[in-house]
Amino acid sequence: MVERPADLPDWLDPLLGRVASLRTEDFSALQAPAGAGRPSAVLVLFGESDEAGPDLLVLQRAATMRNHAGQPAFPGGGTDPDDADAVATALREAREEVGLDPASVEVLARLPELYIPVSSFVVTPVLAWWRRPHPVHPCQPAEVAHVARLPISELVDPENRIRVRHRSGWIGPAFQVRGMLVWGFTAGVISTLLDIGGWSRPWQPGRLVELPDAPVPATRGGAPDEVLP
């Protein structure tokens, strides 16, 4: 088991207790070929507020971006040469994108690497607890349009859970929460973590929504938030 910080809230215990045993297969059927993909990382940041309880930080990419226009995502991106590891990448990207203070965050674990072939990224999700939440905002308006803390209670609400179909034929889980349609890699990771944490509620996966005007996923470049088989 991953070492538990003394002040970690009890509701995170079930998830933390299973992190060490998680495998790539728990998130995706794809394995990265040896030496393939650009290293990258995203910050999966759980917090809590008095108003809405446990939540998860996401951003919405600007509608003018060439790739992932308007798509919700975790803060994150490609690894820079000066980044010591995936944790450094995730925290740096979160600081640059939404103004997150790294000192306010308690990193809990690195989740298994996930291969995103359509963008040629190998992504390490970094699981963290937001010990001292503070205001965040889009620091790069050309790339980030909006920042939100999505309550876990709303993510697990069966009324907010759907499946989406990309024009490529890919079908995956999605969430309709607070005006956002969360899909692709981000929704896949969230869905798995909700199950592992024991927070999911029964829902009917029969609702299938076509992604409106969804661009064909880029084959190179961009952020690592692509579809996750």
Side-chain angles (χ1 to χ4, degrees), residues 44 90 105-106 125 127-128 192 194 201 203 205 213 220:
V44 183
V105 172
E106 176 80 27
L127 184 67
T192 298
L194 293 178
R201 295 166 53 189
W203 64 289
D213 300 321
R220 299 189 61 182

Side-chain angles (χ1 to χ4, degrees), residues 182-206:
V182 184
W183 63 281
F185 172 88
T186 302
V189 171
I190 291 175
S191 180
T192 298
L193 293 180
L194 293 178
D195 290 344
I196 292 169
W199 306 315
S200 291
R201 295 166 53 189
W203 64 289
Q204 296 297 324

